[in-house]
């Protein structure tokens, strides 16, 4: 695209118009709340310090719910006092997050592309010969970009997040509190990386996956990758640690990290948040093969759609392994409802319009009109 103009909306009420030429941001025209204008080249923001929490928000899937997920992670980052690196390789997504829109926190984010060079040869060897290897190599390089970038910049508190398709249905301050507790657990146990329980319980303690990962020691993780490029041929460890899954499930770096955990080459652990509900890929959440909405309840992982829509009570409840670090920040079972009401506001524009038309046509009486006419407060002023 030769020319593109977008609006960057900030939570403080200010708006910046950004102009692109051939996909490159070249000019920002900023309008403050008092109406004052400033014209400048696009500003590059950076973290305040090396120990400021860093959220790497990896985004790629273009869908309305993708921007919802991304907004929620930026809200959580704000409660954590974190800086966000938005790892984005798709201009369609970049334009979309401004136009949809998302609301950004000033001085707290920067767009960066995936690092396609630093671990290119390593990833090629790791995934050599696997089906759809080109796709999985591209995904792997994006997934490993936060490790490389964090290690290069010596950041001490970093998160690797699939921010376009995961939403924890809890208020940002509650999640921030849980993440801070998780960091302390990771420090106490000298964990190299800690992941959110997306697949561990679902796979009966087999699969350690990416999604939301706290990278305590990105340097050790990178070293382990480089030292285990022949992981699929490591017959000695396959036999010793019973990693038979490698013969079938070896197509991405998630499974490599599973192997590194099981063979004790990395200290990789998992955490969950008691009573928190999670939705993965909201745009296909009701699909029978996916139905990836779940809630950590006591010692079980509960899938409400599988239970209530598909009436499969057995697979709607699976045990949470004892190895999972359970974090309790006092969430009630209905916390997801508290979150949804605060996150998805509406002004009921259509409904109010219909009410006025119905009243004027005398289709409803004043009691119905007065009951339903409403103008809720918007989330962003």
């Amino acid at each position: 695209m030769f020319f593109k103009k977008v609006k960057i909306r900030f939570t403080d009420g200010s708006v910046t118009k950004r102009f692109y030429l051939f996909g490159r941001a070249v000019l920002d025209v900023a309008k403050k709340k008092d109406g004052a204008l400033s014209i400048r080249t696009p500003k590059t923001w950076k973290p305040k310090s090396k120990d400021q929490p860093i959220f790497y928000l990896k985004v790629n899937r273009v869908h309305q719910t993708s921007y919802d997920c991304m907004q929620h992670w930026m809200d959580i980052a704000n409660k954590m006092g974190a800086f966000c690196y938005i790892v984005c390789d798709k201009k369609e997504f970049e334009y979309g997050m401004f136009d949809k829109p998302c609301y950004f926190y000033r001085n707290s984010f920067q767009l960066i592309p995936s690092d396609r060079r630093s671990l290119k040869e390593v990833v090629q060897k790791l995934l050599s010969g696997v089906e759809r290897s080109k796709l999985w190599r591209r995904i792997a390089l994006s997934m490993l970009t936060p490790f490389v970038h964090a290690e290069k910049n010596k950041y001490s508190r970093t998160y690797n997040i699939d921010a376009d398709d995961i939403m924890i249905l809890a208020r940002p301050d509650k999640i921030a509190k849980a993440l801070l507790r998780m960091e302390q657990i990771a420090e106490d146990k000298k964990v190299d990386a800690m992941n959110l329980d997306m697949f561990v319980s679902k796979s009966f303690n087999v699969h350690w996956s990416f999604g939301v990962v706290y990278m305590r020691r990105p340097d050790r993780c990178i070293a382990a990758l480089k030292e285990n490029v022949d992981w699929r041929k490591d017959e000695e460890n396959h036999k010793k640690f019973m990693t038979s899954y490698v013969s079938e499930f070896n197509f991405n770096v998630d499974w490599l990290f599973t192997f590194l955990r099981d063979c004790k080459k990395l200290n990789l652990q998992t955490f969950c948040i008691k009573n928190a509900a999670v939705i993965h890929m909201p745009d296909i959440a009701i699909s029978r093969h996916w139905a990836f909405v779940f809630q950590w309840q006591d010692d079980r992982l509960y899938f409400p759609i599988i239970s209530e829509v598909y009436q499969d009570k057995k697979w709607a409840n699976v045990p949470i392994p004892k190895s999972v670090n359970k974090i309790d920040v006092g969430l009630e079972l209905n916390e997801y409802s508290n979150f949804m009401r605060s996150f998805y506001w509406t002004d009921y524009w259509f409904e109010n319009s219909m009410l006025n038309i119905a009243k004027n046509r005398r289709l409803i009486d004043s009691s119905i009109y007065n009951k339903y006419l409403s103008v809720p407060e918007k989330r962003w002023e």
Side-chain angles (χ1 to χ4, degrees), residues 91-110:
K91 280 296 175 183
E92 183 183 359
F93 193 102
E94 181 178 341
Y95 297 151
M97 70 184 187
F98 296 136
D99 284 339
K100 289 300 177 181
C102 291
Y103 287 81
F104 295 83
Y105 295 88
R106 188 169 292 280
N107 304 321
S108 68
F109 75 97
Q110 181 62 38

Side-chain angles (χ1 to χ4, degrees), residues 88-349:
C88 182
D89 298 311
K90 187 175 288 187
K91 280 296 175 183
E92 183 183 359
F93 193 102
E94 181 178 341
Y95 297 151
M97 70 184 187
F98 296 136
D99 284 339
K100 289 300 177 181
C102 291
Y103 287 81
F104 295 83
Y105 295 88
R106 188 169 292 280
N107 304 321
S108 68
F109 75 97
Q110 181 62 38
L111 273 74
I112 62 172
S114 295
D115 186 327
R116 302 292 186 190
R117 297 181 179 180
S118 298
L119 294 176
K120 181 179 179 180
E121 293 184 4
V122 173
V123 168
Q124 285 179 334
K125 293 178 181 178
L126 289 171
L127 302 178
S128 176
V130 304
E131 187 176 354
R132 301 170 71 193
S133 60
K134 186 176 181 180
L135 168 66
W136 288 114
R137 285 200 301 269
R138 177 179 61 78
I139 293 173
L141 290 171
S142 296
M143 198 168 288
L144 295 173
T145 292
F147 288 95
V148 175
H149 194 274
E151 169 58 14
K152 187 179 298 183
N153 289 279
K154 304 303 178 186
Y155 296 137
S156 61
R157 299 169 60 198
T158 56
Y159 289 80
N160 186 335
I161 301 170
D162 292 350
D164 58 5
D165 64 9
I166 296 174
M167 182 182 283
I168 304 176
L169 307 183
R171 287 165 290 181
D173 60 321
K174 302 291 186 180
I175 301 175
K177 185 176 180 181
L179 294 180
L180 289 173
R181 290 191 181 179
M182 178 275 298
E183 287 186 21
Q184 188 58 58
I185 292 172
E187 188 65 31
D188 293 343
K189 295 187 175 184
K190 306 302 180 185
V191 172
D192 295 316
M194 179 92 80
N195 74 337
L196 185 68
D197 179 22
M198 298 291 295
F199 275 95
V200 173
S201 293
K202 183 180 173 70
S203 67
F204 303 96
N205 209 18
V206 173
H207 188 28
W208 193 98
S209 70
F210 282 84
V212 180
V213 174
Y214 177 60
M215 305 179 297
R216 180 176 171 273
R217 290 295 303 271
D219 56 330
R220 285 181 54 83
C221 294
I222 292 172
L225 287 172
K226 293 179 178 179
E227 293 167 2
N228 290 274
V229 291
D230 292 323
W231 66 293
R232 288 175 295 164
K233 300 176 182 178
D234 190 350
E235 298 296 339
E236 180 180 349
N237 278 315
H238 295 333
K239 184 177 180 179
K240 180 179 179 181
F241 295 101
M242 295 183 288
T243 59
S244 58
Y245 53 79
V246 174
S247 62
E248 181 178 0
F249 298 98
N250 56 25
F251 50 86
N252 61 25
V253 293
D254 300 63
W255 283 105
L256 167 61
F257 271 73
T258 300
F259 170 79
L260 296 174
R261 176 201 63 183
D262 292 344
C263 296
K264 317 298 183 185
K265 295 175 181 289
L266 284 174
N267 183 4
L268 303 178
Q269 294 195 24
T270 301
F271 76 100
C272 72
I273 307 169
K274 185 177 179 181
N275 289 337
V278 175
I279 183 167
H280 187 198
M281 295 188 182
D283 52 310
I284 59 171
I286 63 171
S287 173
R288 181 65 184 90
H289 83 282
W290 194 247
F292 217 132
V293 181
F294 61 82
Q295 184 177 36
W296 295 288
Q297 296 184 1
D298 296 323
D299 294 324
R300 67 184 177 121
L301 191 64
Y302 171 60
F303 294 83
I305 292 177
I306 294 177
S307 175
E308 304 306 317
V309 177
Y310 295 105
Q311 292 293 302
D312 187 339
K313 303 301 181 181
K314 180 180 72 174
W315 285 102
N317 296 274
V318 298
I320 298 175
K322 292 181 179 180
S323 64
V324 174
N325 296 278
K326 301 179 180 68
I327 297 173
D328 188 350
V329 290
L331 298 185
E332 300 293 334
L333 277 172
N334 67 341
E335 170 60 25
Y336 62 87
S337 180
N338 295 327
F339 163 71
M340 298 292 275
R341 290 198 304 270
S342 64
F343 187 80
Y344 288 109
W345 58 266
T346 178
D347 57 10
Y348 292 103
W349 172 85

Side-chain angles (χ1 to χ4, degrees), residues 350-366:
F350 175 78
E351 291 83 354
N352 284 332
S353 296
M354 296 303 102
L355 276 173
N356 286 317
I357 293 171
K359 178 184 178 184
N360 291 335
R361 294 182 61 192
R362 299 179 180 177
L363 299 175
I364 58 174
D365 59 29
S366 59

